[in-house]
Amino acid sequence: RKEVEQDPGPFNVPEGATVAFNCTYSNSASQSFFWYRQDCRKEPKLLMSVYSSGNEDGRFTAQLNRASQYISLLIRDSKLSDSATYLCVVNGGSGDKLTFGTGTRLAVRP
Amino acid sequence: DTAVSQTPKYLVTQMGNDKSIKCEQNLGHDTMYWYKQDSKKFLKIMFSYNNKELIINETVPNRFSPKSPDKAHLNLHINSLELGDSAVYFCASSQVRKASSTGELFFGEGSRLTVL
């Protein structure tokens, strides 16, 4: 089983739609969780951290379910500029290593 | 000014050659990394240095040798290139050693290596 698994997509949604991505992780000792965004042929950039109680940043909401070992990202009112690959990132539970999922591709159409 | 800069951005070379990729960060960070992103977009850590000291060394062939002359620079030298080395190599830096706690990695734009 991969350490971090994501549905690769693509998710094709119209502007204004709400879309959600899930990510599962295998290491129950993981303590830190993040979402990164990677545009086509660009570098990944931190989108937001995921806190135990869930957190929101504008149109983006991240949630963590430790019991089921998954995290989610909800995007409301999708914009064309949201089109990108969203990478789920988890720390390994020990050491300083961050493990990246392979990403979920989102395509927002007009 | 680019925070994390890598050179070259593109590299096309023949199997068996030796090549280097350079990375510099002007963020004042202590920790730097090399990541490899393959054709399936899987981003995997290769090495991490904290203030010139190697702290993470994943299972990487010893044809890959990182070098950190100072904490602002982390270079990657690859010997005897193979077809499977074709990938995008990202350099990154973080403010604190435990990037795993803050999650904030600052990536360079990547170096796309193609081995023919």
Side-chain angles (χ1 to χ4, degrees), chain B residues 31-92:
Chain B
T31 308
M32 296 184 72
Y33 310 79
W34 277 111
Y35 278 81
K36 177 182 179 181
Q37 189 168 43
D38 60 24
S39 57
K40 291 187 168 64
K41 306 301 180 190
F42 182 44
L43 192 64
K44 188 169 168 55
I45 190 168
M46 300 173 70
F47 302 103
S48 172
Y49 271 74
N50 179 257
N51 203 10
K52 302 193 296 177
E53 178 193 350
L54 180 66
I55 55 172
I56 293 176
N57 184 352
E58 289 296 289
T59 309
V60 177
N62 57 15
R63 299 182 295 105
F64 290 79
S65 51
K67 278 193 175 50
S68 182
D70 56 63
K71 72 175 193 178
H73 295 84
L74 180 61
N75 304 323
L76 182 66
H77 187 75
I78 315 170
N79 288 327
S80 304
L81 279 156
E82 299 177 358
L83 292 176
D85 297 333
S86 296
V88 181
Y89 292 84
F90 285 101
C91 176

Side-chain angles (χ1 to χ4, degrees), chain A residues 6-13 19-21 83-86 103-109:
Chain A
Q6 297 182 249
D7 180 344
F11 284 61
N12 289 299
V13 302
V19 62
F21 311 133
S83 297
T85 296
Y86 291 85
T104 298
R105 195 154 67 87
L106 172 66
V108 181
R109 62 181 188 272

Side-chain angles (χ1 to χ4, degrees), chain A residues 17 35 59 95:
Chain A
W35 284 101
R59 297 180 293 108

Side-chain angles (χ1 to χ4, degrees), chain A residues 3 32-34 36 38 41-46 49 87 91-92 95-103, chain B residues 10 33 35 37 40-43 45 55-56 58 90 97-105 107-109 112:
Chain A
E3 289 184 66
S32 306
F33 311 90
F34 313 92
Y36 272 68
Q38 186 173 21
R41 300 180 79 87
K42 297 284 190 184
E43 72 274 23
K45 292 183 180 176
L46 179 66
S49 301
L87 303 168
N91 87 316
D96 303 329
K97 194 174 69 167
L98 289 175
T99 300
F100 284 73
T102 50
Chain B
Y10 299 95
Y33 310 79
Y35 278 81
Q37 189 168 43
K40 291 187 168 64
K41 306 301 180 190
F42 182 44
L43 192 64
I45 190 168
I55 55 172
I56 293 176
E58 289 296 289
F90 285 101
R97 175 172 173 156
K98 283 192 172 291
S100 55
S101 56
T102 68
E104 183 93 68
L105 290 174
F107 284 88
E109 293 181 327
R112 186 173 295 271

